[in-house]
Amino acid sequence: MQTLTASSSVSSIQRHRPHPAGRRSSSVTFSARAVSSAPRAPAPSRFVRGADAAPAKPLIAVPKPPAVERQEKKLNFFQRAAATALDAFEEGFVANVLERPHGLSRTVDPAVQIAGNFAPVGETPPVQALPVTGRIPPFINGVYARNGANPHFDPVAGHHLFDGDGMVHALRIRNGVAETYASRFTETERLQQERALGRPMFPKAIGELHGHSGIARLALFYARAACGLIDPSRGTGVANAGLVYFNGHLLAMSEDDIPYHVRVTDDGDLQTVGRYDFDGQLECPMIAHPKLDPATGELHALSYDVIKKPYLKYFYFAADGTKSADVEIPLDQPTMIHDFAITENYVVVPDHQVVFKLQEMLRGGSPVVLDKEKTSRFGVLPKCAADASEMVWVDVPDCFCFHLWNAWEEEETDEVVVIGSCMTPADSIFNESDECLESVLTEIRLNTRTGESTRRPILALSEQVNLEVGMVNSNLLGRKTRYAYLAVAEPWPKVSGFAKVDLATGELTKFEYGEGRFGGEPCFVPMDPATSRGEDDGYILTFVHDEAAGTSELLVVNAADMRLEATIQLPSRVPYGFHGTFITGKELESQA
């Protein structure tokens, strides 16, 4: 393999404008050009609509390794006839009558949503001995795994970035060596059934379920299920968002299903074990951001339902995997709750203005809507609550946080402090908007005694940037933290770097990837608490893609001084994705 060569310049830049007292900003800029034999990224695909479309011909050239192909589904005479009729109805009426006359908005147009480095890739079996520039700190021993949406089949209608099949990318590091890299689809029941039939059969929750065509596609889905062509009872989720390592299991999650257990093999490969219901204890979907308490080892989670009550439930798993009883949290309407927070003693549950109104589809609209008449609020519930009567609700008007980074208790003021990124317009991720999206890092204070709230932007107005996916030191989750490491989501939805933010002073230090280079979520790998010299003693791992060169890398950055320590050249393109985690070598030894 060709050796990586790179030149870099790292500089600290003070801006030439005054800062408010107690605030200062610095920027670290890194630019590198890799000379590599790695293949270039394919050109963005062009999505063709209506009669000009050729559904049988792939629009995205993605290799499908034979190792993951499933045997073709055997259909009886009745099923073959039903399949033919339903396919004809889909092509003749749904596609050409309901969908063709209407253009796709940017939020669900495949030509936008999966273009460039958002486009899917094929699987990569384990590749060994990756080239390294610089020095990987020896203490980093384990596997960095990152999830993302990677559609296996070309879209047949609308497609949102969040709709793709889950793919996990895993890089094994040990003794300063980048040992292996591999990427594999998470073998969801949905993906296996679609592979067996040779085409997408499950509706895409965001990209396709809009208006009258969405209703028709739902009807098609239920008709195919009634004919035995597909079996939704085996699972409908894509497992493309969150990753958590708990009780010996790496779990890949999306909030439309229960988690999937993915195993890291001894040779660095990834193997889907199957849907994981915690030994029969979990009977409902679980959101993609459960919270692992670093002190107790408990995993806290939520589940929401868009059709029937209870619309929201809370539960947790003890460190040994034993599940608690569900706490049903009464809500007036189904609400999108993608994330929540924990403190030492409480869970903090957002009940915001982005809700599900399926009846909007009858009017030709999206079922995911912004309810401007609703007042956003946060609920504070004891972790071991017996029922929802112990919940204290605090109104926080006009607040929508897609992600929450941390929360803690301040006993002297009876307040719970929540750190999150407040988005406006709140529904712009899902629905087209003329307004530019803003994601403002915010401190929200909830007074559980008075029921009042306050909030403030953490950055000065002159320093405001969109800060999204990221994390705090996981050893301090639920406790007061000083720093957060968050992606600089500009130009949205791309990530041009990441920032270390002092949550108390608003000091902002950026690490910028350089011109034409973009990445994703920064993953903070902390030092062992027994030897740590401070909260920011650790390293940031993040995938970065050079759009001109078509190459992808993993960067290792010192979290304390925000200096680049090492660059690992990857053998194939890594699409921009979602969330990741670091599994230590010790944890891998006890893997189930």
Side-chain angles (χ1 to χ4, degrees):
M1 183 175 291
Q2 191 169 347
T3 304
L4 172 70
T5 60
S7 61
S8 63
S9 62
V10 181
S11 62
S12 180
I13 301 172
Q14 294 291 338
R15 304 191 179 192
H16 301 290
R17 59 171 176 264
H19 299 282
R23 295 177 185 264
R24 59 190 178 87
S25 172
S26 60
S27 177
V28 179
T29 302
F30 168 71
S31 60
R33 185 70 172 224
V35 180
S36 164
S37 59
R40 286 181 175 270
S45 63
R46 183 174 65 89
F47 180 67
V48 186
R49 302 183 184 87
D52 296 330
K57 182 179 179 181
L59 299 172
I60 303 168
V62 181
K64 309 296 192 298
V68 299
E69 292 295 344
R70 293 293 181 267
Q71 185 176 3
E72 184 178 348
K73 184 178 178 68
K74 303 298 184 183
L75 304 179
N76 59 37
F77 174 79
F78 168 77
Q79 289 174 321
R80 290 198 301 271
T84 300
L86 292 171
D87 290 351
F89 174 75
E90 178 180 5
E91 179 64 22
F93 180 70
V94 180
N96 287 326
V97 176
L98 295 181
E99 292 173 341
R100 182 183 180 187
H102 306 285
L104 293 172
S105 69
R106 291 179 58 83
T107 56
V108 295
D109 187 345
V112 176
Q113 294 290 307
I114 49 176
N117 196 45
F118 289 103
V121 294
E123 295 183 318
T124 302
V127 177
Q128 299 179 345
L130 307 178
V132 176
T133 299
R135 174 180 176 272
I136 302 174
F139 107 89
I140 301 179
N141 175 19
V143 170
Y144 171 54
R146 199 220 65 194
N147 210 347
N150 191 65
H152 183 275
F153 289 100
D154 299 322
V156 297
H159 180 96
H160 188 277
L161 175 62
F162 295 170
D163 286 330
D165 299 292
M167 174 174 274
V168 177
H169 303 257
L171 197 153
R172 179 67 160 102
I173 299 173
R174 180 161 41 193
N175 298 326
V177 176
E179 290 189 340
T180 59
Y181 164 82
S183 63
R184 295 289 188 186
F185 282 104
T186 298
E187 295 291 313
T188 63
E189 292 287 348
R190 171 185 181 132
L191 177 57
Q192 292 183 53
Q193 291 186 59
E194 290 188 334
R195 267 212 204 99
L197 292 163
R199 55 162 297 175
M201 302 289 273
F202 289 72
K204 295 180 178 179
I206 304 175
E208 293 182 355
L209 299 187
H210 288 250
H212 301 129
S213 64
I215 295 172
R217 289 197 173 276
L218 274 178
L220 269 172
F221 171 65
Y222 288 121
R224 284 167 171 153
C227 296
L229 301 176
I230 53 175
D231 183 2
S233 69
R234 291 162 49 192
T236 62
V238 288
N240 66 13
L243 285 176
V244 68
Y245 188 83
F246 172 69
N247 192 30
H249 299 78
L250 175 61
L251 302 179
M253 299 162 292
S254 57
E255 52 216 49
D256 51 0
D257 207 340
I258 67 174
Y260 276 81
H261 177 197
V262 177
R263 197 174 192 282
V264 182
T265 64
D266 292 340
D267 64 351
D269 209 346
L270 296 161
Q271 176 187 44
T272 303
V273 180
R275 292 176 90 215
Y276 186 67
D277 62 3
F278 294 83
D279 297 325
Q281 299 178 94
L282 184 63
E283 299 177 346
C284 60
M286 190 171 88
I287 69 169
H289 291 289
K291 303 299 178 185
L292 186 61
D293 190 307
T296 66
E298 296 169 343
L299 187 70
H300 299 264
L302 299 175
S303 174
Y304 69 79
D305 195 299
V306 303
I307 298 175
K308 63 182 187 301
K309 292 184 177 182
Y311 294 132
L312 181 64
K313 294 187 289 189
Y314 158 71
F315 48 87
Y316 67 92
F317 300 91
D320 64 0
T322 303
K323 183 180 176 295
S324 73
D326 293 340
V327 175
E328 298 181 358
I329 300 173
L331 298 178
D332 293 334
Q333 56 187 326
T335 301
M336 171 168 284
I337 301 178
H338 181 68
D339 199 2
F340 72 112
I342 62 171
T343 70
E344 184 175 359
N345 297 294
Y346 300 99
V347 292
V348 183
V349 180
D351 178 23
H352 293 333
Q353 293 169 286
V354 177
V355 300
F356 296 94
K357 293 187 176 181
L358 301 185
Q359 63 270 25
E360 289 297 316
M361 296 174 69
L362 296 172
R363 303 185 181 98
S366 168
V368 183
V369 299
L370 175 64
D371 185 349
K372 296 182 179 180
E373 301 301 317
K374 179 180 178 180
T375 300
S376 291
R377 59 181 184 168
F378 285 85
V380 180
L381 179 72
K383 285 178 174 175
C384 297
D387 57 58
S389 65
E390 300 182 60
M391 176 85 83
V392 175
W393 289 104
V394 180
D395 288 350
V396 186
D398 300 319
C399 173
F400 173 74
C401 295
F402 197 54
H403 292 106
L404 300 174
W405 312 123
N406 200 16
W408 61 83
E409 303 157 35
E410 293 199 349
E411 295 181 1
E412 61 274 14
T413 60
D414 288 325
E415 289 178 320
V416 170
V417 179
V418 182
I419 306 297
S421 291
C422 290
M423 282 188 168
T424 54
D427 63 337
S428 59
I429 294 177
F430 310 101
N431 300 315
E432 187 124 30
S433 174
D434 294 331
E435 298 180 58
C436 293
L437 187 144
E438 285 194 337
S439 184
V440 178
L441 184 62
T442 303
E443 177 191 270
I444 303 163
R445 288 181 170 264
L446 312 172
N447 192 309
T448 55
R449 178 174 50 83
T450 66
E452 297 177 340
S453 69
T454 60
R455 58 175 170 152
R456 69 172 182 89
I458 291 174
L459 302 181
L461 182 61
S462 59
E463 304 291 347
Q464 175 57 40
V465 293
N466 286 333
L467 296 177
E468 243 304 316
V469 290
M471 61 184 62
V472 299
N473 185 328
S474 59
N475 291 329
L476 296 173
L477 190 69
R479 283 74 181 168
K480 188 171 185 176
T481 46
R482 179 177 176 182
Y483 300 112
Y485 299 89
L486 303 169
V488 178
E490 295 183 357
W492 184 272
K494 291 184 179 180
V495 169
S496 57
F498 66 88
K500 176 183 181 180
V501 182
D502 188 315
L503 301 175
T505 67
E507 179 184 351
L508 174 74
T509 305
K510 290 183 185 178
F511 185 99
E512 298 174 342
Y513 299 140
E515 184 177 356
R517 294 166 53 86
F518 302 95
E521 177 187 67
C523 178
F524 181 84
V525 182
M527 290 287 287
D528 188 320
T531 59
S532 176
R533 294 166 295 181
E535 180 186 325
D536 60 351
D537 192 7
Y539 292 84
I540 299 294
L541 305 182
T542 185
F543 287 131
V544 172
H545 180 70
D546 187 314
E547 295 192 340
T551 56
S552 295
E553 305 162 336
L554 181 100
L555 303 187
V556 181
V557 178
N558 190 313
D561 60 16
M562 296 288 279
R563 298 285 178 170
L564 181 70
E565 298 278 348
T567 301
I568 302 171
Q569 180 186 349
L570 301 177
S572 56
R573 180 172 65 88
V574 177
Y576 304 131
F578 301 139
H579 306 287
T581 190
F582 188 80
I583 312 162
T584 67
K586 184 177 180 180
E587 288 173 327
L588 287 172
E589 291 174 2
S590 60
Q591 188 178 201

